[in-house]
C-alpha cells in the first residue's frame, strides 16, 4: 500500500467520545460511526448549528493502554459563527482547529483498514506507534463508503 504525505486542516469541530464495540469489523465500525455521526448532526441542527464538513473519527489503535485503544473520538465541523459565553461542562467536545501533517495518507475502502494498519506498523518504531493518532474521514463516493486516512505521531 502506497502512503502519501498530506495535511488535513479542520476548524470548528464538535464531537463526542465513545468506545469500540466488543465485536466489530472495519466495515461495520465505519458504517456505525457514520450513522452515529449523522444522528449527532441532526441533534446539532436542532440546536441551530449546521454541519458543513466531513465526519471523521480519531483513534489510537497501537496504544499500549487498552482504554486508549478502545476510545473513538467522533467529530464533524460546523460553519456557524459562535461566541463562547461560558466554559463547556457538557460531554460534547469542541476543538477550534486541528492540523494533521500526515506521512501516512491514503484513500481506501473500510475493509482495507487492516492492511493500512499493517503498513503503518512496518513504517514506524514501536515507540512511534504507541503515540500515533489516526484520523479516519468518512464519506460516500457514489454507493461506496470510503475512508481518507491520515496518521500522525502525537508530540
Amino acid at each position: 500500500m502506497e502512503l502519501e504525505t498530506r495535511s488535513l486542516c479542520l476548524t470548528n469541530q464538535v464531537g463526542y467520545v465513545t468506545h469500540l464495540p466488543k465485536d466489530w469489523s472495519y466495515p461495520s465500525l465505519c458504517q456505525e460511526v457514520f450513522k452515529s455521526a449523522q444522528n449527532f448532526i441532526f441533534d446539532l441542527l436542532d440546536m441551530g448549528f449546521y454541519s458543513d464538513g466531513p465526519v471523521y473519527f480519531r483513534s489510537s489503535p497501537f496504544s499500549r493502554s487498552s482504554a486508549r485503544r478502545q476510545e473513538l473520538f467522533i467529530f464533524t465541523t460546523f460553519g456557524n459563527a459562535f461566541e463562547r459565553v461560558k466554559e463547556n461542562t457538557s460531554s460534547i467536545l469542541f476543538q477550534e482547529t486541528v492540523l494533521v501533517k500526515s506521512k501516512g495518507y491514503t484513500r481506501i475502502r473500510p475493509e482495507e483498514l487492516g492492511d493500512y494498519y499493517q503498513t503503518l506498523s512496518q513504517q514506524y518504531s514501536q515507540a512511534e506507534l504507541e503515540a500515533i493518532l489516526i484520523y479516519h474521514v468518512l464519506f460516500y463516493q457514489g454507493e461506496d463508503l470510503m475512508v481518507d486516512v491520515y496518521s500522525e505521531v502525537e508530540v
Side-chain angles (χ1 to χ4, degrees):
M1 176 175 294
E2 189 68 30
L3 301 181
E4 300 174 30
T5 298
R6 189 174 286 193
S7 295
L8 172 68
C9 183
L10 299 164
T11 58
N12 294 342
Q13 299 148 90
V14 61
Y16 56 98
V17 65
T18 189
H19 296 87
L20 281 170
K22 294 220 183 272
D23 297 318
W24 56 273
S25 65
Y26 295 119
S28 65
L29 172 66
C30 291
Q31 289 167 356
E32 288 303 313
V33 166
F34 193 84
K35 185 170 78 174
S36 177
Q38 292 303 306
N39 290 333
F40 181 66
I41 289 169
F42 291 135
D43 290 343
L44 288 174
L45 281 170
D46 288 342
M47 295 184 285
F49 293 98
Y50 302 93
S51 173
D52 66 345
V55 165
Y56 75 93
F57 69 96
R58 184 185 77 211
S59 65
S60 303
F62 299 104
S63 176
R64 288 186 185 138
S65 162
S66 64
R68 188 167 183 221
R69 265 194 326 272
Q70 296 298 313
E71 286 182 321
L72 290 180
F73 294 84
I74 301 173
F75 288 95
T76 189
T77 62
F78 64 91
N80 299 61
F82 72 96
E83 181 180 332
R84 283 187 203 205
V85 290
K86 63 181 181 176
E87 182 181 348
N88 178 12
T89 57
S90 74
S91 61
I92 294 177
L93 305 173
F94 177 78
Q95 293 180 317
E96 195 163 336
T97 303
V98 166
L99 175 61
V100 178
K101 295 179 180 179
S102 177
K103 293 180 182 174
Y105 166 80
T106 194
R107 176 171 288 173
I108 55 176
R109 297 183 189 301
E111 54 271 11
E112 297 171 295
L113 276 172
D115 295 335
Y116 174 79
Y117 293 157
Q118 181 65 32
T119 300
L120 287 181
S121 71
Q122 295 168 354
Q123 288 188 332
Y124 290 99
S125 70
Q126 188 59 42
E128 290 171 320
L129 284 172
E130 168 72 20
I132 205 162
L133 293 175
I134 301 179
Y135 296 78
H136 307 75
V137 181
L138 304 173
F139 64 97
Y140 274 89
Q141 190 171 45
E143 300 274 325
D144 299 322
L145 183 59
M146 301 296 292
V147 187
D148 278 356
V149 195
Y150 299 81
S151 61
E152 178 178 63
V153 177
E154 192 175 30
V155 180

